[in-house]
C-alpha cells in the first residue's frame, strides 16, 4: 500500500546525506509524493555513561549530530522487514553494538539503547495507543534501569501509583492522564517506599502522546549514571529527503 503526503517545502539537514537510502522520499514541488511502505521509529539514548552515539540501519548511517544520554530522535520513517541495527560512537566508523531487528508496515516503535559498555542492548518496544482528547494525554511508562528488576511510577504528591511492577526492558500500556503543567513523575523499586529519582517538570499537552522512562543505575547514588527519569513527546512523523 502506498501513502500520499503533500510536501510544501524542502528541508535539508546537515549530516543526513545518506538518509535518502534509509528513509523513503521523492520530492515534487506542489504535488503529491508517493511514499513506500514504512514503519515509524523513535531512537532513544538511554545508555548511561555512554558517549555521543550515532545509529545505522543496515549499511546506512543516520548521521545524528547530538545523540547524547537521555536525548531522542523522534518518529522517523524506516523501511520495513528485517534490519540490522548498528550503533557507533559519534564520528567513528567501527560499530560498538549490532542487533537484528524487524519493523512492520505502519507500526510505531521506540528503540531504547539501554545499559552501558559491553552490556549495551537495544530494546525494541512497539507503541500502540488510541487517540486522545484535548483535555488529556496518553502516557506509558518504561523501565530501562538495569539494576531495578521492576519499578513503580508515581506522580509526585499522589499516593497511588500510575503504573506498577514495570519490568526492566519493558513498558506498561498507555493510559490517559489529565493534561497539565509542571507534572513531576517519580520512580521507586516495585513495592518499596523509597523514591529513586524524580523527573524534571513535564508539560502534558492535551491531545498528545508521551513515554516516561527511567534509566541509569540504582547502585549509583550520585553523579552521571544514577537513576534518571526522562520524557519523550511523540510528535508527528518527519519525512527527510
Amino acid at each position: 500500500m502506498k501513502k500520499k503526503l503533500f510536501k510544501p517545502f524542502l528541508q535539508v539537514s546537515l549530516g543526513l546525506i545518506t538518509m535518502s537510502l534509509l528513509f523513503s522520499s521523492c520530492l515534487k514541488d506542489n504535488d503529491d509524493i508517493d511514499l513506500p511502505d514504512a514503519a515509524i521509529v523513535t531512537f532513544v539514548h538511554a545508555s548511561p555513561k555512554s558517549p555521543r552515539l550515532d545509529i545505522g540501519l543496515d549499511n546506512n548511517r543516520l548521521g545524528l549530530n547530538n545523540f547524547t544520554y537521555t536525548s531522542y530522535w523522534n518518529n522517523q520513517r524506516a523501511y520495513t522487514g528485517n534490519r540490522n541495527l548498528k550503533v557507533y560512537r559519534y564520528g567513528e566508523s567501527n560499530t560498538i553494538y549490532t542487533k537484528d531487528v524487524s519493523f512492520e508496515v505502519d507500526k510505531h516503535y521506540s528503540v531504547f539503547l539501554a545499559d552501558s559498555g559491553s552490556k549495551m542492548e537495544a530494546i525494541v518496544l512497539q507503541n500502540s495507543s488510541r487517540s486522545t482528547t484535548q483535555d488529556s494525554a496518553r502516557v506509558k511508562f518504561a523501565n530501562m534501569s538495569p539494576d531495578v528488576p521492576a519499578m513503580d511510577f508515581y506522580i509526585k504528591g499522589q499516593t497511588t501509583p500510575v503504573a506498577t511492577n514495570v519490568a526492566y526492558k519493558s513498558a506498561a500500556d498507555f493510559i490517559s492522564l489529565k493534561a497539565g503543567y509542571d507534572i513531576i513523575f517519580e520512580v521507586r523499586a516495585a513495592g518499596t517506599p523509597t523514591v529513586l529519582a524524580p523527573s524534571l517538570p513535564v508539560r502534558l499537552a492535551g491531545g498528545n502522546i508521551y513515554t516516561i522512562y527511567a534509566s541509569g543505575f540504582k547502585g549509583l547514588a550520585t553523579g552521571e549514571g544514577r537513576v534518571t527519569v526522562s520524557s519523550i513527546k511523540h510528535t508527528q512523523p518527519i519525512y527527510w529527503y
Side-chain angles (χ1 to χ4, degrees):
M1 175 173 40
K2 299 266 184 170
K3 305 295 179 189
K4 293 284 190 178
L5 179 69
F6 178 75
K7 298 307 295 179
F9 60 88
L10 169 65
Q11 180 180 3
V12 178
S13 180
L14 294 176
L16 298 179
I17 296 173
T18 61
M19 296 299 287
S20 61
L21 300 175
L22 177 59
F23 299 112
S24 54
S25 63
C26 175
L27 178 63
K28 297 178 182 178
D29 289 338
N30 298 320
D31 200 357
D32 286 341
I33 300 171
D34 287 334
L35 294 173
D37 290 330
I40 304 299
V41 184
T42 294
F43 298 96
V44 187
H45 190 326
S47 179
K49 295 193 172 182
S50 292
R52 185 163 47 153
L53 300 174
D54 195 6
I55 298 291
L57 287 175
D58 299 327
N59 294 320
N60 305 309
R61 286 278 287 260
L62 275 65
L64 304 185
N65 289 322
N66 195 30
F67 194 45
T68 55
Y69 181 48
T70 71
S71 68
Y72 61 94
W73 202 62
N74 208 11
N75 290 16
Q76 301 301 317
R77 290 175 61 88
Y79 291 136
T80 56
N82 297 325
R83 311 296 304 274
N84 184 241
L85 173 73
K86 300 178 180 180
V87 180
Y88 307 83
R89 290 185 179 86
Y90 177 78
E92 297 185 7
S93 58
N94 294 325
T95 59
I96 61 172
Y97 174 81
T98 66
K99 181 177 182 175
D100 291 330
V101 297
S102 181
F103 301 132
E104 296 183 29
V105 175
D106 292 337
K107 302 294 186 182
H108 183 285
Y109 301 87
S110 291
V111 177
F112 292 86
L113 300 181
D115 216 325
S116 59
S118 62
K119 295 183 178 180
M120 180 186 290
E121 184 174 1
I123 313 302
V124 181
L125 301 180
Q126 185 176 325
N127 300 321
S128 179
S129 173
R130 62 176 172 82
S131 59
T132 66
T133 61
Q134 289 306 305
D135 62 350
S136 67
R138 296 288 286 172
V139 184
K140 78 172 182 178
F141 301 90
N143 177 2
M144 296 296 147
S145 294
D147 62 350
V148 187
M151 186 173 280
D152 296 337
F153 288 78
Y154 287 78
I155 294 175
K156 185 176 181 179
Q158 298 186 6
T159 57
T160 302
V162 289
T164 59
N165 206 35
V166 181
Y168 173 51
K169 301 192 290 187
S170 72
D173 292 335
F174 278 98
I175 62 171
S176 291
L177 292 178
K178 184 177 180 181
Y181 291 84
D182 295 336
I183 298 170
I184 296 175
F185 295 96
E186 297 177 335
V187 295
R188 308 176 188 180
T192 68
T194 303
V195 174
L196 298 178
S199 71
L200 294 174
V202 177
R203 178 193 175 190
L204 296 181
N208 286 273
I209 296 175
Y210 299 82
T211 295
I212 308 299
Y213 71 95
S215 58
F217 298 94
K218 181 181 68 172
L220 296 175
T222 60
E224 181 184 354
R226 67 190 186 280
V227 173
T228 298
V229 183
S230 306
S231 63
I232 300 167
K233 181 180 179 182
H234 296 289
T235 60
Q236 293 299 315
I238 300 171
Y239 299 91
W240 297 100
Y241 301 104

